Coordinates of all heavy atoms in Angstrom, one line a residue:
P329 N -28.6 30.3 -65.0 CA -28.9 29.9 -63.6 C -30.3 29.2 -63.4 O -30.4 28.2 -62.8 CB -28.8 31.1 -62.7 CG -28.0 32.1 -63.5 CD -28.2 31.8 -65.0
E330 N -31.3 29.8 -64.0 CA -32.6 29.3 -63.9 C -32.8 27.9 -64.5 O -33.3 27.0 -63.9 CB -33.6 30.3 -64.5 CG -35.0 30.2 -63.9 CD -35.9 31.2 -64.4 OE1 -35.5 32.4 -64.6 OE2 -37.1 30.9 -64.7
E331 N -32.2 27.8 -65.7 CA -32.2 26.5 -66.4 C -31.4 25.5 -65.6 O -31.8 24.3 -65.5 CB -31.7 26.7 -67.8 CG -32.2 25.5 -68.7 CD -31.5 25.6 -70.1 OE1 -31.1 26.7 -70.5 OE2 -31.3 24.5 -70.7
A332 N -30.3 25.9 -65.1 CA -29.5 25.0 -64.3 C -30.2 24.4 -63.1 O -30.2 23.2 -62.8 CB -28.2 25.7 -63.8
A333 N -30.9 25.4 -62.4 CA -31.7 25.0 -61.2 C -32.9 24.0 -61.6 O -33.1 23.0 -61.0 CB -32.3 26.2 -60.5
R334 N -33.5 24.3 -62.8 CA -34.6 23.4 -63.3 C -34.0 22.1 -63.6 O -34.7 21.0 -63.3 CB -35.2 24.1 -64.5 CG -36.5 24.8 -64.2 CD -37.4 24.9 -65.5 NE -36.6 25.4 -66.6 CZ -36.5 26.7 -67.0 NH1 -37.1 27.6 -66.2 NH2 -35.8 27.1 -68.0
T335 N -32.9 22.0 -64.2 CA -32.3 20.7 -64.6 C -31.9 19.9 -63.4 O -32.1 18.7 -63.4 CB -31.0 21.0 -65.5 OG1 -31.3 21.9 -66.6 CG2 -30.5 19.7 -66.1
L336 N -31.4 20.5 -62.4 CA -31.0 19.8 -61.2 C -32.3 19.2 -60.5 O -32.3 18.1 -60.1 CB -30.3 20.7 -60.2 CG -28.8 21.1 -60.6 CD1 -28.3 22.2 -59.7 CD2 -27.9 19.9 -60.6
V337 N -33.3 20.0 -60.4 CA -34.5 19.6 -59.7 C -35.1 18.4 -60.6 O -35.6 17.4 -60.0 CB -35.6 20.7 -59.6 CG1 -36.9 20.2 -59.2 CG2 -35.1 21.7 -58.5
A338 N -35.1 18.6 -61.9 CA -35.6 17.5 -62.7 C -34.8 16.2 -62.6 O -35.4 15.1 -62.5 CB -35.6 18.0 -64.2
G339 N -33.5 16.4 -62.4 CA -32.6 15.2 -62.2 C -33.0 14.5 -60.9 O -33.0 13.2 -60.9
A340 N -33.3 15.2 -59.8 CA -33.7 14.6 -58.6 C -35.0 13.9 -58.7 O -35.2 12.8 -58.2 CB -33.8 15.6 -57.5
N341 N -35.9 14.5 -59.4 CA -37.2 13.8 -59.7 C -37.2 12.6 -60.6 O -37.9 11.6 -60.4 CB -38.3 14.9 -60.2 CG -38.7 15.8 -59.0 OD1 -38.7 15.4 -57.9 ND2 -39.2 17.0 -59.4
D342 N -36.2 12.7 -61.6 CA -36.0 11.5 -62.4 C -35.5 10.4 -61.6 O -35.7 9.2 -62.0 CB -35.0 11.9 -63.5 CG -35.7 12.7 -64.6 OD1 -36.9 12.8 -64.6 OD2 -34.9 13.3 -65.4
A343 N -34.8 10.7 -60.6 CA -34.2 9.6 -59.7 C -35.2 9.2 -58.6 O -34.8 8.6 -57.6 CB -32.9 10.1 -59.1
G344 N -36.5 9.6 -58.8 CA -37.5 9.1 -57.8 C -38.1 10.2 -57.0 O -39.1 10.0 -56.4
G345 N -37.3 11.3 -56.9 CA -37.9 12.5 -56.1 C -38.3 12.1 -54.7 O -39.4 12.5 -54.3
P346 N -37.5 11.4 -53.9 CA -38.0 11.0 -52.6 C -38.2 12.0 -51.6 O -38.9 11.8 -50.6 CB -36.8 10.0 -52.2 CG -35.6 10.5 -52.9 CD -36.1 11.0 -54.2
D347 N -37.6 13.2 -51.8 CA -37.7 14.3 -50.8 C -38.0 15.6 -51.5 O -37.9 15.7 -52.7 CB -36.4 14.4 -50.1 CG -36.4 15.2 -48.8 OD1 -37.5 15.7 -48.4 OD2 -35.4 15.5 -48.2
N348 N -38.4 16.6 -50.8 CA -38.5 18.0 -51.3 C -37.1 18.3 -51.8 O -36.1 17.9 -51.2 CB -38.9 19.0 -50.2 CG -40.2 18.6 -49.5 OD1 -40.3 18.9 -48.3 ND2 -41.1 18.0 -50.2
V349 N -37.1 19.1 -52.9 CA -35.7 19.4 -53.5 C -35.7 20.9 -53.8 O -36.6 21.4 -54.4 CB -35.4 18.5 -54.7 CG1 -36.5 18.5 -55.7 CG2 -34.1 18.9 -55.3
S350 N -34.6 21.5 -53.3 CA -34.5 23.0 -53.5 C -33.1 23.3 -54.0 O -32.1 22.7 -53.5 CB -34.7 23.7 -52.2 OG -36.0 23.5 -51.8
C351 N -33.0 24.3 -54.9 CA -31.7 24.7 -55.4 C -31.7 26.2 -55.6 O -32.7 26.8 -56.0 CB -31.5 24.2 -56.9 SG -31.3 22.4 -57.0
V352 N -30.6 26.8 -55.2 CA -30.3 28.2 -55.6 C -29.0 28.2 -56.4 O -28.0 27.6 -55.9 CB -30.1 29.1 -54.3 CG1 -29.6 30.4 -54.7 CG2 -31.5 29.3 -53.6
V353 N -29.1 28.7 -57.5 CA -27.8 28.8 -58.4 C -27.5 30.3 -58.5 O -28.4 31.1 -58.9 CB -28.1 28.2 -59.7 CG1 -26.8 28.3 -60.6 CG2 -28.4 26.7 -59.6
A354 N -26.3 30.7 -58.2 CA -25.9 32.1 -58.3 C -24.5 32.2 -59.0 O -23.6 31.6 -58.6 CB -25.9 32.7 -56.9
D355 N -24.5 33.0 -60.0 CA -23.2 33.3 -60.7 C -22.7 34.6 -60.4 O -23.4 35.6 -60.2 CB -23.5 33.3 -62.2 CG -23.9 31.9 -62.7 OD1 -23.4 30.9 -62.1 OD2 -24.6 31.8 -63.7
V356 N -21.4 34.7 -60.2 CA -20.7 36.0 -59.9 C -20.3 36.5 -61.3 O -19.5 35.9 -62.0 CB -19.4 35.8 -59.1 CG1 -18.7 37.1 -58.9 CG2 -19.8 35.1 -57.7
V357 N -20.8 37.7 -61.7 CA -20.6 38.2 -63.0 C -20.2 39.7 -62.9 O -20.4 40.3 -61.8 CB -21.8 38.1 -63.9 CG1 -22.2 36.7 -64.1 CG2 -23.0 38.9 -63.3
E358 N -19.5 40.2 -63.9 CA -19.2 41.6 -63.9 C -20.5 42.4 -64.0 O -21.4 42.1 -64.8 CB -18.2 41.9 -65.0 CG -16.9 41.3 -64.7 CD -15.8 41.7 -65.7 OE1 -16.0 42.7 -66.5 OE2 -14.8 41.0 -65.8
A359 N -20.6 43.5 -63.2 CA -21.8 44.3 -63.2 C -22.1 44.9 -64.6 O -21.2 45.4 -65.2 CB -21.7 45.3 -62.1

Side-chain angles (χ1 to χ4, degrees):
E330 205 173 317
E331 201 190 330
R334 262 202 310 269
T335 308
L336 289 170
V337 169
N341 285 335
D342 285 346
D347 191 6
N348 306 145
V349 52
S350 297
C351 294
V352 168
V353 177
D355 292 333
V356 177
V357 296
E358 290 188 17

